Amino acid sequence: MKNTFGNNVSVTLFGESHGEMIGAVLDGMTPGIPVDEAFIAHQMNLRRSANAMLSTARAEPDLVRIVSGVFEGKTTGTPITFLIENTNTRSGDYAAMRYIARPGHADYTAEMKYHGYQDPRGGGHFSGRITAGLVAAGAVALTALKGKGITVGTHIAACADIQDRPFGDLAADLAALNEKEFAVLDPNAEAQMKAAITAAKTEGDSVGGVLETAVTGLPAGVGEPWFDTVESVLAHILFGIPAVKGVEFGAGFALADQKGSEANDPFRASDGKIITATNNCGGILGGITNGMPLTIRCAVKPTPSIYKEQETVDFDKCENTPLVIHGRHDPAIIHRARVVVDSAVALALCDLLVTRFGTDWLMK
Amino acid sequence: MKNTFGNNVSVTLFGESHGEMIGAVLDGMTPGIPVDEAFIAHQMNLRRSANAMLSTARAEPDLVRIVSGVFEGKTTGTPITFLIENTNTRSGDYAAMRYIARPGHADYTAEMKYHGYQDPRGGGHFSGRITAGLVAAGAVALTALKGKGITVGTHIAACADIQDRPFGDLAADLAALNEKEFAVLDPNAEAQMKAAITAAKTEGDSVGGVLETAVTGLPAGVGEPWFDTVESVLAHILFGIPAVKGVEFGAGFALADQKGSEANDPFRASDGKIITATNNCGGILGGITNGMPLTIRCAVKPTPSIYKEQETVDFDKCENTPLVIHGRHDPAIIHRARVVVDSAVALALCDLLVTRFGTDWLMK
Amino acid sequence: MKNTFGNNVSVTLFGESHGEMIGAVLDGMTPGIPVDEAFIAHQMNLRRSANAMLSTARAEPDLVRIVSGVFEGKTTGTPITFLIENTNTRSGDYAAMRYIARPGHADYTAEMKYHGYQDPRGGGHFSGRITAGLVAAGAVALTALKGKGITVGTHIAACADIQDRPFGDLAADLAALNEKEFAVLDPNAEAQMKAAITAAKTEGDSVGGVLETAVTGLPAGVGEPWFDTVESVLAHILFGIPAVKGVEFGAGFALADQKGSEANDPFRASDGKIITATNNCGGILGGITNGMPLTIRCAVKPTPSIYKEQETVDFDKCENTPLVIHGRHDPAIIHRARVVVDSAVALALCDLLVTRFGTDWLMK
Amino acid sequence: MKNTFGNNVSVTLFGESHGEMIGAVLDGMTPGIPVDEAFIAHQMNLRRSANAMLSTARAEPDLVRIVSGVFEGKTTGTPITFLIENTNTRSGDYAAMRYIARPGHADYTAEMKYHGYQDPRGGGHFSGRITAGLVAAGAVALTALKGKGITVGTHIAACADIQDRPFGDLAADLAALNEKEFAVLDPNAEAQMKAAITAAKTEGDSVGGVLETAVTGLPAGVGEPWFDTVESVLAHILFGIPAVKGVEFGAGFALADQKGSEANDPFRASDGKIITATNNCGGILGGITNGMPLTIRCAVKPTPSIYKEQETVDFDKCENTPLVIHGRHDPAIIHRARVVVDSAVALALCDLLVTRFGTDWLMK
């Protein structure tokens, strides 16, 4: 379905970096969910993260205009349309770069797919800017989940080879993270990561990292195996986020080196509830939630736009050419991508929950 | 869509471990693809991998019966149905274990979803045995791809913390792997992995690993961003395979520690073609193929069925109980999972290619 | 999705008229629904309708074998596979007719789509016989609906220009129809229709008709506008039935000649419930059920296989040729199509209900 | 998928009658299709049909603003977003009518589905006004089809029991119709229909009719049986149009009274092409196009908003109440619905063609 994700709760993304508007349509959301414009703005600001040291975000404030699907401050159950204007575009000189494939970018692959008709300005439809629509729609999804006692939060588990501390008390950690612009749990790690980003900026280079997400409060029994498992559905939307090149659940790739006796999570009866003593499975067994927290890790590649000279091709002439990229570029996007991941996870979970429990379930 | 995967080429899986039959329906496959029963049997045998040392596979030979969609040895373009009988089931004593949640298995989550109506015998619909249908359908998909010059192959990149050598000459490596029952490139690593599996068996334990897949011959320009990117579609089906808990493309999680200047793959013009000097992106930029080989890695958790005593619960009584699992269980499934991954990748690629180029494209 | 219908409850059809087996996979059905093999056989017999006067059905009894998704007599919630063997095929001489387009059949269009790879024997995948899988799956859907107080039934409203009486007391009419092999309410009309079918048979010709379906007991508020309206979803599956060339809801085409003041159904409060005084809308307003009975009418074209000589082409040579069809052919299929319509309607409604109320809703 | 239609070319509708904006997102359209704003405006005007005698359309001109997916006047292949502002809404007094179910409208069924959260002003999301987005997207689809030699056109075959002449020379008829605001072929019929509409207006009543559509230039071999037949896909979208209560193809319901020997269309070889002598099947056999013109007829119910007093209920109090509707209402919408039907047909055909021939096929 190309730019639409989801079966029963779906989101459609549209727009180009330097077009008139970008945005999203969120359909199938349960009616009656409060639409909190301040929270949407908060999330948009986390994505924009205009910290001058770490980002070179556009000056534009990413105001979200909701033009359908909300009545008297609540979702109606019909499609919600989020519009964001592109007010600060500078695309005068794209023609010179029209056929130069920036390494790590979609310029060449878009040409192969769209035959030159794609909008090349600022990355066009492939710009990370398009995630703004996902964040706007995700804010409503996060509010819906919150109304059911479900919390989503993400920290920068690693950046430039510096590790954050692992999740501890999830309630406290998620609450803290969701207020932070730079979502790291350990202040020392935060300082080192920021220094590494600043250093990369100085070098004209960029860094990546790992985002780790936890979700608490999900009921057991959610997920639609074999093919719409929780892992499949979450990975599907997460791999739609431009820089994500790896997704793992629970202990993930670390399970490859474990024995079964280490990897298996022992079940426990606890106060009439069934839990597991460890959570190597990340809250998912057989593709279905087990009532424990979901844990998800996404590998985020370093920003491909760097200032160092690179080797590349002019794909019109099929000739090698050196490339120096100008303009504003972030030395890291991982601190901004974190809210995109939260949004994507929330949208996918709303879809799975409404699939499982019906279109009204997210109502309080 | 639960047990159906794919938009234009789709596969539907059905069956339970101890039911009458398991199988698959493959729909949307281009007409005219040769259906090679010997190749299907070869693939089924790779999945079954009845090596007495490493596996305790059922004695049954997994004969595939095709009852629709093939005429005069070729696909018709209508649904192809693959049936495999369950001839060697021993499920007499499942009642005693009915409410005991085996750690790492779907027993408890299935109960939460299906309310006790699920078939509990031998893991029911959650048994790895259900992948046999995927392998049968995948064999046709692999044949279709081969007809267009596209080759898929997978090696055990790691097992029990032993590493295989990386891919080298892909043409030679894939050809060799696709003949091997235990798909490792380095003979030393192979011997060590087998020894580790045997050791785990002796301990009543199990091991996991990492499967690395490469695909050569794909045209550039395939993939449907934002949400049906090559990564999204492949990860979706790969996370449907029971033991897979992580998926990464190209350098994947290793990109998190790289600088942009290391991670970006320089483009090169080479004999009138455009290639990249490195392949950290795994052949995918912006969710679209760039014409370089796809590379995919899957984390496979250790088999959850082990002979060591484990702690768990009776979820009917909500009481803790120790558990000792009897019956036949593999100390490793990674060498068998490899053909499941090849099959899943082939099915997803057929879907993306037919989406991109139309229903006839896979015809020679 | 080609041979798969439905979003949350889906059915996949497979098979060819003279292949080994035909059948269906029903996925997403709520667990715990009783699977009544006698009822399935009853429905299969209605479809087969071996009345020697009116049909020339195969001698084979269409035994349905369920090989997955049912445990201890109830649905498990996982895919249910229905298999029906083709035991009585006579396809030795199809080669002579290989390139002759039978008028009213899919021979030529299948050639255009499948390029000669389609199975041509007995109409292949386009045979009305493939509806047997739909009827088997539909029997489970009808049982599920019945458990929630929802009844589906169809009469032959017209055949060969003879009209049945309109629906009256729906509870009584539907109960009576669901026991009848030739589903007509007015005995006089029934006798005349049968006589007309017999006369057509004598002439080597065939007749069509109109099937009218009613559904009682549906809750209000079901349907997913704008595009998954009740009408859209029902019409989608009904137009999959080979002979159906028209579908209307409520007064349907008759509304075209009415004034708004006639067509509008006045609402009424009745014993604390809201009903309408008339039902010209067929129980659907804005694409959503209003709690009144659904009424649906399907135009069924006359069987295209007739014994009279016809003009046609050899599409291989692109030459005109006369055609005389031999073999067994029904002078009417409308009395057999009626149970196919019931099945299709039931499947579509299960999908809409599970979409609206969640995967467990059909449990009692 | 609720408000999204289509598999490979999809359209998503959003908006409410008195909300800020309505519109559509068109995704999957082949890149390089010219986007002719004058043609879009022409189509919008046909839908708006501000003829003072026959309609009481809003004064607003339905300006379409395209904010994504078009670059240098052509489609890019990425989502195209069409926005239309609601500039002339008068909804101050909706509260008094909040719980009054207008007969023939979705007020009550929307309440049952959306639990009071729906936007009730002017019919909200159920207003015929939402078809404006469909017409805008459909204009691009019509242009794409035209580039491949495929023409769509519709006439008012019947209105208020007055019949237009049947289609004759399709090339001439479709060309003429596509320039007409009131699409009738026979000038006498046109005058009578207009008089009947004016008479209905005088009475405070409304009329309906039948729209007949023809499509020329389609290749044979398009359609995805069993369930995505041409009939299924077209009916699915057509029944999404609010007033449509019946859809038939070719001779449709008239086939019910024909013999097989009358209904079957004889094939003919003609100048190396295969055609049929008649077209009772409406260009579709086995759900697949046969290369002859498609013919489709839609029953359009009379506008439910009438000025005559009606009986209805207050569904909050569950009490009977008389109702007199005020405000602007059309005595007929059939002449406006015709361009909605053309648009819906064009969108569905683009989806089927791109499914069949790939994402680039609509390029010239």
Side-chain angles (χ1 to χ4, degrees):
Chain A
M1 278 297 286
K2 299 183 170 66
N3 293 280
T4 299
F5 172 87
N7 291 310
N8 292 295
V9 176
S10 64
V11 63
T12 300
L13 291 188
F14 57 82
E16 288 85 30
S17 180
H18 292 205
E20 273 197 65
M21 288 185 190
I22 61 169
V25 181
L26 174 61
D27 194 14
M29 180 50 65
T30 297
I33 306 299
V35 176
D36 178 343
E37 303 210 2
F39 178 62
I40 296 174
H42 169 79
Q43 297 291 95
M44 298 305 285
N45 283 336
L46 290 184
R47 196 201 74 84
R48 199 167 147 265
S49 185
N51 186 311
M53 293 285 287
L54 305 177
S55 303
T56 48
R58 295 182 183 186
E60 65 198 293
D62 283 344
L63 290 177
V64 177
R65 190 172 164 197
I66 299 178
V67 298
S68 75
V70 175
F71 182 61
E72 297 179 346
K74 290 187 175 157
T75 60
T76 58
T78 61
I80 308 170
T81 305
F82 305 86
L83 300 178
I84 303 154
E85 296 215 30
N86 288 325
T87 54
N88 189 21
T89 55
R90 296 173 298 181
S91 45
D93 54 354
Y94 71 90
M97 299 288 288
R98 182 67 190 77
Y99 300 107
I100 308 302
R102 290 171 300 160
H105 279 280
D107 305 327
Y108 171 66
T109 56
E111 180 80 11
M112 291 298 98
K113 181 162 172 59
Y114 302 107
H115 304 290
Y117 294 107
Q118 72 276 13
D119 182 344
R121 301 168 300 168
H125 187 55
F126 292 87
S127 167
R129 178 157 174 75
I130 309 311
T131 58
L134 201 67
V135 171
V140 176
L142 285 162
T143 302
L145 293 176
K146 192 179 172 189
K148 302 297 289 189
I150 300 165
T151 306
V152 180
T154 296
H155 72 127
I156 306 172
C159 175
D161 227 348
I162 299 147
Q163 314 297 314
D164 193 14
R165 74 159 167 83
F167 275 126
D169 172 348
L170 275 179
D173 282 355
L174 299 185
L177 289 170
N178 286 334
E179 293 305 315
K180 294 198 68 169
E181 190 175 327
F182 195 91
V184 179
L185 295 166
D186 171 354
N188 281 339
E190 181 175 342
Q192 290 175 49
M193 290 181 193
K194 285 178 173 172
I197 295 172
T198 305
K201 188 181 181 183
T202 307
E203 296 166 29
D205 214 329
S206 65
V207 295
V210 174
L211 291 172
E212 184 174 41
T213 303
V215 184
T216 59
L218 276 175
V222 176
E224 305 292 333
W226 271 61
F227 291 121
D228 284 352
T229 66
V230 176
E231 291 108 326
S232 288
V233 171
L234 286 172
H236 194 133
I237 193 167
L238 289 167
F239 276 118
I241 302 173
V244 172
K245 295 296 280 190
V247 172
E248 58 183 0
F249 297 89
F253 277 89
L255 289 165
D257 299 339
Q258 295 184 357
K259 295 265 170 79
S261 55
E262 300 165 276
N264 283 352
D265 300 304
F267 283 100
R268 292 274 169 80
S270 166
D271 290 331
K273 289 183 61 183
I274 289 173
I275 61 168
T276 58
T278 52
N279 192 15
N280 290 320
C281 73
I284 311 165
L285 285 171
I288 300 171
T289 56
N290 68 358
M292 294 292 290
L294 290 194
T295 57
I296 311 151
R297 290 163 61 95
C298 294
V300 178
K301 73 175 184 180
T303 326
S305 289
I306 56 174
Y307 293 102
K308 289 188 167 176
E309 182 175 303
Q310 299 179 82
E311 296 171 45
T312 192
V313 296
D314 178 315
F315 51 76
D316 191 43
K317 300 182 185 158
C318 198
E319 282 178 7
N320 291 327
T321 179
L323 168 69
V324 177
I325 298 177
H326 300 286
R328 57 187 175 215
H329 304 295
D330 288 354
I333 54 100
I334 190 160
H335 54 300
R336 301 172 60 192
R338 140 291 175 119
V339 71
V340 181
V341 166
D342 284 342
S343 302
V345 167
L347 288 160
L349 291 176
C350 284
D351 187 29
L352 284 167
L353 288 160
V354 162
T355 297
R356 178 72 180 88
F357 299 120
T359 51
D360 292 349
W361 190 77
L362 293 167
M363 277 185 197
K364 272 203 234 194
Chain B
M1 278 297 287
K2 299 183 169 67
N3 293 280
T4 299
F5 172 85
N7 292 310
N8 292 296
V9 176
S10 64
V11 62
T12 300
L13 291 187
F14 56 82
E16 288 85 29
S17 179
H18 291 205
E20 275 197 64
M21 289 184 189
I22 61 169
V25 181
L26 174 61
D27 194 15
M29 180 51 64
T30 297
I33 306 299
V35 176
D36 178 344
E37 302 210 1
F39 178 62
I40 296 175
H42 169 78
Q43 297 293 95
M44 297 307 284
N45 283 336
L46 289 184
R47 196 203 73 85
R48 196 166 147 268
S49 186
N51 186 310
M53 293 285 285
L54 306 177
S55 302
T56 50
R58 296 182 182 185
E60 64 199 294
D62 284 344
L63 290 177
V64 177
R65 192 171 163 197
I66 298 178
V67 298
S68 75
V70 176
F71 183 62
E72 297 179 345
K74 290 189 174 155
T75 60
T76 58
T78 61
I80 308 170
T81 306
F82 305 87
L83 299 179
I84 303 155
E85 296 215 30
N86 288 325
T87 54
N88 188 20
T89 56
R90 298 174 296 183
S91 45
D93 55 353
Y94 71 89
M97 298 288 288
R98 181 69 189 77
Y99 299 108
I100 308 301
R102 290 171 300 159
H105 278 280
D107 305 328
Y108 171 66
T109 55
E111 180 81 11
M112 292 298 98
K113 181 163 172 58
Y114 303 107
H115 305 290
Y117 294 108
Q118 72 276 13
D119 182 344
R121 299 169 300 168
H125 187 56
F126 292 86
S127 166
R129 178 156 174 74
I130 309 309
T131 58
L134 201 67
V135 171
V140 177
L142 285 161
T143 303
L145 294 176
K146 192 179 172 191
K148 300 297 288 189
I150 299 165
T151 306
V152 180
T154 296
H155 72 126
I156 306 173
C159 174
D161 227 349
I162 300 147
Q163 316 296 314
D164 192 15
R165 73 160 167 83
F167 274 126
D169 173 347
L170 275 180
D173 282 353
L174 298 185
L177 289 171
N178 286 334
E179 294 305 315
K180 295 200 67 170
E181 190 175 326
F182 196 91
V184 179
L185 295 165
D186 172 354
N188 282 339
E190 181 176 342
Q192 290 175 51
M193 288 181 194
K194 285 178 173 173
I197 295 172
T198 305
K201 189 181 180 185
T202 306
E203 296 166 30
D205 214 330
S206 64
V207 296
V210 174
L211 292 172
E212 184 174 41
T213 302
V215 185
T216 59
L218 277 175
V222 176
E224 304 292 333
W226 272 61
F227 291 121
D228 284 351
T229 66
V230 176
E231 291 107 325
S232 288
V233 170
L234 286 171
H236 195 133
I237 193 167
L238 290 168
F239 277 118
I241 302 173
V244 173
K245 295 296 281 189
V247 173
E248 58 183 359
F249 297 89
F253 277 89
L255 288 164
D257 299 338
Q258 294 182 359
K259 295 265 170 78
S261 55
E262 299 166 275
N264 283 351
D265 300 306
F267 283 100
R268 292 273 170 81
S270 167
D271 289 332
K273 288 183 59 184
I274 288 171
I275 60 169
T276 58
T278 53
N279 192 14
N280 291 320
C281 73
I284 311 164
L285 285 171
I288 300 171
T289 55
N290 69 358
M292 293 293 290
L294 289 195
T295 57
I296 312 152
R297 291 163 59 95
C298 294
V300 178
K301 72 174 184 180
T303 327
S305 290
I306 57 174
Y307 293 103
K308 289 188 168 175
E309 183 174 300
Q310 299 179 83
E311 297 170 44
T312 191
V313 295
D314 177 315
F315 51 75
D316 192 43
K317 298 182 186 159
C318 198
E319 282 178 7
N320 291 327
T321 179
L323 168 70
V324 177
I325 297 177
H326 300 285
R328 56 188 174 216
H329 303 295
D330 288 354
I333 52 101
I334 191 160
H335 53 299
R336 302 172 61 194
R338 141 291 176 117
V339 71
V340 182
V341 165
D342 283 342
S343 302
V345 166
L347 288 160
L349 291 176
C350 284
D351 187 29
L352 284 166
L353 287 160
V354 163
T355 298
R356 179 71 179 87
F357 298 120
T359 53
D360 292 348
W361 190 76
L362 292 167
M363 278 185 197
K364 272 202 235 196
Chain C
M1 277 296 289
K2 300 184 170 66
N3 293 280
T4 298
F5 172 85
N7 291 309
N8 292 296
V9 177
S10 64
V11 62
T12 300
L13 291 186
F14 57 83
E16 287 85 30
S17 180
H18 291 207
E20 274 197 65
M21 290 185 189
I22 60 169
V25 180
L26 174 60
D27 194 15
M29 179 53 64
T30 296
I33 306 298
V35 175
D36 178 344
E37 301 209 1
F39 178 62
I40 296 173
H42 169 78
Q43 296 293 95
M44 297 306 287
N45 283 336
L46 290 183
R47 195 202 73 86
R48 200 167 144 265
S49 185
N51 186 310
M53 294 284 287
L54 306 177
S55 302
T56 51
R58 295 181 181 186
E60 65 199 293
D62 283 345
L63 289 177
V64 177
R65 191 172 164 198
I66 298 178
V67 298
S68 75
V70 175
F71 183 62
E72 296 180 346
K74 291 188 173 155
T75 59
T76 58
T78 61
I80 308 171
T81 305
F82 306 86
L83 299 179
I84 303 155
E85 294 215 30
N86 288 324
T87 54
N88 188 21
T89 56
R90 297 173 299 183
S91 44
D93 56 352
Y94 71 90
M97 298 289 287
R98 182 67 190 78
Y99 300 108
I100 309 302
R102 290 170 300 159
H105 279 280
D107 305 327
Y108 172 65
T109 55
E111 180 81 10
M112 292 296 100
K113 181 164 172 57
Y114 303 107
H115 305 289
Y117 294 107
Q118 71 277 13
D119 182 344
R121 300 168 301 166
H125 187 56
F126 293 87
S127 167
R129 177 157 175 74
I130 309 308
T131 59
L134 201 66
V135 171
V140 176
L142 285 161
T143 303
L145 294 176
K146 192 179 172 190
K148 300 297 289 187
I150 299 165
T151 305
V152 180
T154 295
H155 72 126
I156 306 173
C159 174
D161 227 348
I162 300 147
Q163 314 297 314
D164 192 15
R165 74 157 167 81
F167 276 126
D169 173 346
L170 274 180
D173 283 355
L174 298 186
L177 289 170
N178 286 335
E179 294 305 316
K180 296 200 65 168
E181 189 175 329
F182 196 91
V184 179
L185 294 165
D186 171 355
N188 282 340
E190 179 176 344
Q192 290 176 50
M193 289 181 193
K194 285 177 171 172
I197 294 171
T198 305
K201 187 182 182 184
T202 306
E203 295 167 30
D205 214 330
S206 65
V207 295
V210 174
L211 292 172
E212 184 174 43
T213 302
V215 184
T216 59
L218 275 175
V222 176
E224 304 293 333
W226 270 59
F227 291 121
D228 284 352
T229 67
V230 176
E231 292 108 327
S232 289
V233 171
L234 286 171
H236 194 133
I237 193 167
L238 290 166
F239 276 119
I241 301 172
V244 172
K245 294 297 279 190
V247 172
E248 59 183 0
F249 296 89
F253 277 89
L255 288 165
D257 299 339
Q258 294 182 359
K259 295 265 171 78
S261 55
E262 300 166 276
N264 283 351
D265 301 305
F267 283 99
R268 290 276 170 78
S270 167
D271 290 332
K273 289 184 57 183
I274 288 171
I275 60 169
T276 59
T278 53
N279 191 15
N280 290 320
C281 72
I284 311 164
L285 285 171
I288 300 171
T289 56
N290 68 359
M292 295 291 291
L294 289 196
T295 59
I296 311 152
R297 290 162 61 93
C298 294
V300 177
K301 73 174 184 180
T303 327
S305 288
I306 58 174
Y307 292 102
K308 290 188 167 176
E309 183 174 304
Q310 299 179 82
E311 297 172 44
T312 192
V313 295
D314 177 315
F315 51 76
D316 191 43
K317 299 180 184 158
C318 198
E319 283 179 7
N320 291 328
T321 179
L323 168 70
V324 177
I325 297 176
H326 301 286
R328 55 188 175 214
H329 303 295
D330 288 354
I333 52 100
I334 190 160
H335 53 299
R336 301 172 61 193
R338 140 289 178 120
V339 71
V340 182
V341 166
D342 284 342
S343 302
V345 167
L347 287 161
L349 290 176
C350 284
D351 187 30
L352 285 166
L353 287 160
V354 162
T355 299
R356 179 72 178 88
F357 298 121
T359 52
D360 292 348
W361 191 76
L362 292 166
M363 277 184 197
K364 272 205 235 194
Chain D
M1 278 297 289
K2 299 184 168 67
N3 292 282
T4 298
F5 172 86
N7 291 310
N8 292 295
V9 176
S10 65
V11 62
T12 300
L13 291 186
F14 57 82
E16 287 85 28
S17 180
H18 291 205
E20 273 197 66
M21 289 186 189
I22 61 170
V25 181
L26 174 60
D27 194 15
M29 180 53 64
T30 296
I33 307 298
V35 176
D36 177 343
E37 302 209 2
F39 179 62
I40 296 174
H42 169 79
Q43 297 292 95
M44 297 305 286
N45 283 336
L46 290 183
R47 196 202 73 87
R48 198 165 146 266
S49 187
N51 184 311
M53 294 283 287
L54 306 177
S55 303
T56 51
R58 296 182 182 185
E60 64 198 293
D62 283 344
L63 290 177
V64 177
R65 191 172 163 197
I66 299 178
V67 298
S68 75
V70 175
F71 182 63
E72 296 179 346
K74 291 190 173 155
T75 59
T76 58
T78 61
I80 308 170
T81 305
F82 305 88
L83 300 178
I84 303 154
E85 296 216 28
N86 288 324
T87 54
N88 188 20
T89 55
R90 295 172 300 180
S91 46
D93 54 354
Y94 72 89
M97 297 289 287
R98 183 66 190 79
Y99 299 108
I100 309 301
R102 290 170 300 158
H105 279 279
D107 305 327
Y108 171 65
T109 55
E111 179 80 11
M112 292 296 98
K113 181 164 171 57
Y114 303 106
H115 306 289
Y117 293 108
Q118 72 276 14
D119 182 344
R121 300 168 301 166
H125 188 56
F126 293 87
S127 167
R129 177 156 175 74
I130 309 308
T131 59
L134 200 67
V135 171
V140 177
L142 285 161
T143 302
L145 294 175
K146 192 178 172 191
K148 301 297 289 188
I150 299 165
T151 306
V152 180
T154 296
H155 73 126
I156 305 173
C159 174
D161 228 348
I162 299 147
Q163 314 297 315
D164 192 15
R165 74 159 168 82
F167 275 125
D169 172 347
L170 274 180
D173 282 355
L174 298 185
L177 289 170
N178 285 333
E179 294 305 315
K180 295 200 67 170
E181 189 174 329
F182 195 91
V184 180
L185 295 164
D186 171 356
N188 281 340
E190 179 175 344
Q192 290 176 51
M193 288 181 193
K194 285 178 171 171
I197 294 171
T198 305
K201 187 183 182 183
T202 307
E203 296 166 30
D205 214 330
S206 65
V207 296
V210 174
L211 292 173
E212 184 174 43
T213 303
V215 184
T216 59
L218 276 175
V222 176
E224 305 292 333
W226 271 60
F227 291 120
D228 284 351
T229 67
V230 176
E231 292 108 325
S232 288
V233 171
L234 286 171
H236 195 132
I237 193 167
L238 290 167
F239 276 119
I241 302 172
V244 172
K245 295 297 280 189
V247 172
E248 58 184 2
F249 297 89
F253 277 89
L255 289 165
D257 299 339
Q258 294 183 0
K259 295 265 172 77
S261 56
E262 299 166 276
N264 283 352
D265 301 306
F267 282 99
R268 292 274 169 79
S270 166
D271 290 331
K273 287 184 59 182
I274 290 172
I275 61 169
T276 59
T278 53
N279 192 14
N280 290 320
C281 72
I284 311 165
L285 285 171
I288 299 170
T289 55
N290 68 358
M292 295 291 291
L294 289 196
T295 58
I296 312 151
R297 289 163 60 93
C298 294
V300 177
K301 73 175 185 179
T303 327
S305 290
I306 58 174
Y307 293 102
K308 289 189 168 177
E309 182 175 303
Q310 299 180 82
E311 297 171 44
T312 193
V313 296
D314 177 315
F315 50 76
D316 191 43
K317 299 180 185 159
C318 198
E319 283 179 7
N320 291 326
T321 178
L323 167 70
V324 177
I325 297 176
H326 300 286
R328 56 189 175 212
H329 304 294
D330 287 355
I333 53 100
I334 190 159
H335 53 299
R336 301 172 60 193
R338 142 288 178 118
V339 70
V340 182
V341 165
D342 284 343
S343 302
V345 166
L347 288 161
L349 291 175
C350 285
D351 187 29
L352 284 165
L353 288 160
V354 163
T355 297
R356 179 73 178 87
F357 299 120
T359 52
D360 291 348
W361 191 76
L362 292 167
M363 276 185 199
K364 271 204 237 194

